[in-house]
Amino acid sequence: MMPSPVKEVVVISGKGGTGKTSLTAAFAFLAQEDIVLADCDVDAPDMHLLMNPRVEMEQDFYSGWQAEIDCLKCSNCGKCQEVCRFSAIIQSNECFSIDADECEGCGYCSFICPEQAIQLIPRLSGQFRVSRTRFQHKLVHANLDPGGENSGKLVNQVKQVAARIAREDSKKIILVDGAPGIGCPVISSLTGADLVVLVTEPSLSAFHDLQRVFNLVNQFRIKTACLINKADLNSDISTKIKAFLAENSILLLAELAYNTAFTAAMLKGHCILEEENTSFQPAILEAWNKIISLLN
Amino acid sequence: MKIAIASGKGGTGKTTLSVNLASWLALQDKVVLVDLDTEEPNSGIFLKLPLIRSIIGVKPVPVWQSDNCLHCGKCQGYCQFHAIISLPSEVLVFPKLCHSCYACSELCPASALPMLNEKIGKIDHFARENLTFIEGKLDVGQEMAVPLIKQAITYTESQSVNSEWLIFDSPPGNACPMIEATKVADFIILISEPTPFGLYDLSLSVQSLRKLNRNFGVVINREGIGNSDLERYCLDEDIPVIARIPQSRLIAESYSAGKLVYHEDNDFLSSLKQIKDFLQNDAFSC
Amino acid sequence: MKIAFTAKGTDWQDQIDPRFGRCAYLVFYDEDTDTIDWIDNGSSAGIDHGAGPQTAQKLLTRKPDILITGNGPGGNASRVLSYSQITVYTGAADKSLQEAYQDFKNNRLTEFKF
């Protein structure tokens, strides 16, 4: 008998502030120990604020390359500066040097340097961590150094580590808090996903972003479901969103009302389902059950 | 004055502040607002200005010329971004992966990879009376926002010579797109919420901007929803709090319908006045 | 005929890796000589972008006639594969290489259209 394969659920939102992380945390709470949790929202990695994780492993993360000039070999010919399209080569008193913030790591300078004074070195971009949450999930998360580049690669690495842990610990599901936007980090978040959960809210902006991010998801041909948060904020737009979901065969998981309980829970470092008397419990539970059945 | 409005986390009110501040300032002054959140630009929804001009956003990428190619395969070796595959009979370029470094093109011994512009998005220019609005919009499926952000800034600077205010609505996050979008600003307004998420994400933005020696201050949005940790953080870190916008369902509803809020909400209007006053009097003494 | 698999391991009993660009191994079965050979794809699986075309290029150097995989190659990888004569079959996710091979022999897999 083959072990059942690990499934990957990615929660994304296009627009920020729709409650994506809070809802992902609620799903994690419901799933108990069946899952590995991955925080791929590397620009705003907030999952740890609800999960109070104990770090078990931390490792430096290198992404791409960065040029380095050996001052002893540099003959000050300036050819590197001529070819660099990123204005990353600075002339100083001694010799030419690299502005690490600007360097794209393309290596052009190193290919043409007549003295072979330039080499590419791996670029330290942040750290990734494997932690144990207060609910005993393993959480893979990361932080990008200030202004760090290539968060797509960090996302990819977080997901790979999560997948390895899921296999080793025989977990069935990797639950991913995905990146915002439609660019490089979100594309990396979607790669290899089995199901995408879109979290949106009824505002013109969020609806606009939802349509853009869905176009992207569609290019990946991944099964998609949607959850509308703050659904009563604007019932006209809620109706339009539901029509859009129906038109594109996207399953509506739940509609949640605008409620400051999410913030109240966050202030205590709680996930929303730990709060007493929230009306959300049945809807979120039903959403999670629908997610499970979509995976099978 | 050039200012950028940024936030580590999305959904903290960056666009609400940008469009309202720009519209309100434009009652008196010439204002240019630039939406550099090219992945998800939303400012236009609130402004509804007539379109004056639309230009395509491009980045240069190599285009293979089969007649010249010697099939030496060097181009693939030069490319650090895996954007070129050299097969025995074909060279394939994957434009979305290309960082436009020109290495393959200029180092090709047979000049078989000239650089040509590839469309990655568009830049729309809208205007009415005192208010000009420029929006960069990345095509869906494109991964790199920075070339479009740079192009939108260059275009804006050519169009805003007589403007008193230039406001950049920056992409969320703290990675390269945000750094690029805030680079040209004299002052950066970070907008955040008094919640644990808001505080944590703000602290990441502060680290990024401090590393780059930038001038910045904080606007606290949805004041009253959370706790005072954000306020205390700003005090401890010696970061000016420029204004505090109270939590209000009315603002959320106006936002959801794509409406400007400053003429309906007096608290919001007084926040805008405080921001203007700060920018004119205090922004460069801190 | 030479048949390639995207695989999680290098043995007949190992599972098909449903991913193309980031598959763990490319396994090759030569029906004529009844031998198995493989390429470790770890170097491509670890790169952030462009794994698909790289894996496709590696695959083509071995000149297989058939590829058996799970989800199917993405757009970039498909572009590379379309320059060869290879026929791609999908839908073998969750199976062992042996089961996938039997399914292929019994026409139970789906041909992937480029």
Side-chain angles (χ1 to χ4, degrees):
Chain A
M1 184 65 197
M2 280 294 173
S4 63
V6 183
K7 301 280 187 186
E8 191 178 300
V9 180
V10 179
V11 186
I12 56 171
S13 63
K15 183 176 151 27
T18 58
K20 169 176 66 68
T21 300
S22 293
L23 286 161
T24 308
F27 292 146
F29 175 81
L30 289 172
Q32 299 291 336
E33 288 172 50
D34 288 346
I35 58 161
V36 174
L37 199 51
D39 190 351
C40 287
D41 189 351
V42 289
D43 277 333
D46 295 334
M47 184 62 82
H48 68 103
L49 298 169
L50 301 180
M51 291 291 157
N52 190 24
R54 198 177 65 243
V55 177
E56 295 185 339
M57 193 274 283
E58 180 174 274
Q59 203 172 311
D60 281 343
F61 160 72
Y62 293 86
S63 93
W65 306 95
Q66 169 185 323
E68 191 180 61
I69 299 179
D70 181 344
C71 211
L72 294 173
K73 290 188 186 161
C74 175
S75 63
N76 281 304
C77 72
K79 289 205 170 101
C80 50
Q81 197 173 37
E82 280 167 35
V83 301
C84 179
R85 289 302 192 288
F86 308 101
S87 313
I89 309 225
I90 316 160
Q91 189 164 18
S92 44
N93 295 336
E94 301 271 314
C95 70
F96 284 86
S97 65
I98 303 288
D99 179 350
D101 289 332
E102 299 295 330
C103 177
E104 192 86 0
C106 70
Y108 194 173
C109 55
S110 72
F111 304 137
I112 55 102
C113 173
E115 312 299 334
Q116 272 119 48
I118 309 180
Q119 57 169 342
L120 290 178
I121 55 167
R123 178 197 297 265
L124 178 64
S125 300
Q127 289 77 37
F128 76 90
R129 306 186 177 107
V130 178
S131 305
R132 178 78 69 174
T133 72
R134 63 199 171 88
F135 303 115
Q136 302 306 314
H137 316 102
K138 286 223 175 134
L139 168 67
V140 187
H141 50 143
N143 74 297
L144 206 57
D145 285 344
E149 285 189 72
N150 205 347
S151 38
K153 186 162 181 173
L154 185 52
V155 167
N156 182 34
Q157 190 144 348
V158 166
K159 294 210 330 174
Q160 278 188 33
V161 172
R164 199 189 65 222
I165 293 171
R167 282 197 302 275
E168 285 169 4
D169 297 357
S170 309
K171 303 295 182 194
K172 295 185 197 74
I173 296 171
I174 301 169
L175 182 59
V176 180
D177 187 0
I182 58 161
C184 160
V186 73
I187 288 174
S188 296
S189 303
L190 292 173
T191 306
D194 295 286
L195 176 69
V196 173
V197 176
L198 302 167
V199 177
T200 192
E201 65 183 30
S203 66
L204 286 174
S205 308
F207 187 27
H208 170 252
D209 295 354
L210 175 75
Q211 294 170 60
R212 269 166 81 76
V213 84
F214 178 69
N215 279 339
L216 180 69
V217 172
N218 232 357
Q219 293 179 6
F220 283 78
R221 299 176 302 219
I222 309 170
K223 214 185 279 180
T224 310
C226 181
L227 192 151
I228 306 176
N229 195 12
K230 313 176 196 174
D232 57 334
L233 200 56
N234 188 320
S235 52
D236 280 358
I237 301 173
S238 268
T239 309
K240 283 184 191 148
I241 292 177
K242 280 184 271 184
F244 171 79
L245 299 181
E247 221 169 275
N248 292 285
S249 315
I250 304 167
L251 179 71
L252 178 62
L253 294 172
E255 291 177 74
L256 304 180
Y258 182 83
N259 195 320
T260 49
F262 276 102
T263 312
M266 190 201 295
L267 287 168
K268 292 187 228 163
H270 277 182
C271 113
I272 182 79
L273 298 178
E274 288 175 274
E275 295 292 277
E276 277 169 30
N277 301 323
T278 61
S279 49
F280 292 135
Q281 189 129 11
I284 296 177
L285 182 60
E286 195 191 332
W288 179 244
N289 287 336
K290 284 183 186 166
I291 289 171
I292 299 289
S293 55
L294 281 172
L295 285 176
N296 294 323
Chain B
M1 182 183 299
K2 293 180 193 174
I3 59 168
I5 300 181
S7 69
K9 177 175 160 2
T12 56
K14 183 170 60 60
T15 298
T16 305
L17 179 59
S18 302
V19 293
N20 281 284
L21 183 63
S23 302
W24 178 69
L25 288 172
L27 297 176
Q28 288 189 345
D29 300 334
K30 275 191 167 314
V31 179
V32 181
L33 172 66
V34 195
D35 194 342
L36 294 177
D37 186 359
T38 59
E39 293 181 39
E40 307 281 24
N42 286 327
S43 300
I45 294 172
F46 297 85
L47 297 174
K48 306 174 185 82
L49 301 178
L51 182 67
I52 306 279
R53 190 180 299 145
S54 185
I55 61 173
I56 61 165
V58 293
K59 72 174 184 185
V61 301
V63 177
W64 183 55
Q65 310 292 316
S66 57
D67 292 350
N68 298 5
C69 184
L70 306 171
H71 299 283
C72 67
K74 284 184 181 155
C75 46
Q76 183 172 352
Y78 290 133
C79 184
Q80 302 299 310
F81 309 108
H82 315 290
I84 298 188
I85 295 283
S86 171
L87 295 175
S89 60
E90 300 279 330
V91 171
L92 302 181
V93 177
F94 297 93
K96 284 177 189 166
L97 303 177
C98 175
H99 286 227
S100 308
C101 75
Y102 286 71
C104 64
S105 180
E106 293 177 356
L107 296 172
C108 170
S111 306
L113 287 164
M115 299 294 276
L116 295 173
N117 279 337
E118 159 104 354
K119 178 176 181 288
I120 56 168
K122 60 174 184 162
I123 297 165
D124 285 341
H125 178 161
F126 307 82
R128 185 191 290 138
E129 294 157 12
N130 270 347
L131 182 58
T132 297
F133 170 56
I134 293 167
E135 174 193 80
K137 193 169 198 170
L138 196 67
D139 287 344
V140 173
Q142 291 290 339
E143 307 200 358
M144 272 172 269
V146 171
L148 187 63
I149 292 173
K150 282 187 179 165
Q151 196 182 339
I153 292 173
T154 310
Y155 176 77
T156 302
E157 299 209 306
S158 74
Q159 300 294 318
S160 55
V161 209
N162 297 315
S163 300
E164 278 100 340
W165 300 94
L166 195 48
I167 302 172
F168 297 101
D169 184 354
S170 140
N174 305 296
C176 25
M178 179 273 213
I179 298 300
E180 195 62 43
T182 53
K183 216 180 248 177
V184 286
D186 306 313
F187 190 85
I188 298 154
I189 296 174
L190 291 171
I191 180 158
S192 189
E193 295 171 351
T195 63
F197 286 8
L199 171 57
Y200 182 72
D201 297 335
L202 177 77
S203 73
L204 298 179
S205 305
V206 167
Q207 281 178 42
S208 294
L209 296 178
R210 286 232 162 111
K211 190 176 159 218
L212 299 164
N213 278 321
R214 308 307 310 278
N215 262 319
F216 62 91
V218 167
V219 168
I220 299 178
N221 194 16
R222 304 178 74 205
E223 195 195 34
I225 196 171
N227 58 23
S228 57
D229 291 356
L230 180 64
E231 196 86 45
R232 197 171 314 125
Y233 168 84
C234 292
L235 193 66
D236 290 348
E237 293 287 324
D238 210 12
I239 300 166
V241 175
I242 306 166
R244 296 165 182 85
I245 303 170
Q247 155 70 6
S248 132
R249 185 167 164 132
L250 173 73
I251 296 177
E253 282 174 3
S254 299
Y255 175 84
S256 79
K259 287 194 255 177
L260 294 174
V261 72
Y262 69 87
H263 28 12
E264 288 178 42
D265 189 300
N266 276 329
D267 291 333
F268 198 95
L269 183 61
S270 47
S271 296
L272 294 182
K273 288 176 181 160
Q274 283 167 13
I275 292 169
K276 181 182 180 184
D277 187 53
F278 177 88
L279 290 170
Q280 286 178 326
N281 300 311
D282 308 312
F284 300 99
S285 59
C286 53
Chain C
M1 231 172 17
K2 197 173 189 178
I3 297 159
F5 303 85
T6 57
K8 292 182 176 173
T10 59
D11 192 85
W12 274 119
Q13 302 313 319
D14 283 319
Q15 268 187 299
I16 292 284
D17 195 326
R19 302 165 302 176
F20 178 78
R22 294 173 202 287
C23 69
Y25 297 93
L26 290 166
V27 175
F28 300 90
Y29 173 58
D30 191 329
E31 288 182 315
D32 304 333
T33 58
D34 192 23
T35 50
I36 272 205
D37 188 16
W38 45 271
I39 300 176
D40 184 338
N41 195 40
S43 60
S44 294
I47 67 174
D48 48 340
H49 290 310
Q54 293 238 319
T55 303
Q57 184 181 33
K58 258 185 260 177
L59 178 74
L60 294 186
T61 56
R62 300 292 182 97
K63 299 190 167 47
D65 303 287
I66 304 289
L67 169 70
I68 296 176
T69 184
N71 303 336
N76 288 347
S78 296
R79 235 182 102 199
V80 177
L81 294 177
S82 69
Y83 285 94
S84 72
Q85 303 302 315
I86 198 166
T87 310
V88 178
Y89 290 92
T90 60
D94 308 346
K95 299 181 198 307
S96 69
L97 299 195
Q98 183 125 48
E99 289 162 345
Y101 177 66
Q102 289 308 325
D103 281 357
F104 161 66
K105 282 295 181 193
N106 296 321
N107 291 320
R108 282 204 293 256
L109 298 178
T110 317
E111 187 175 336
F112 180 81
K113 301 276 178 245
F114 288 110

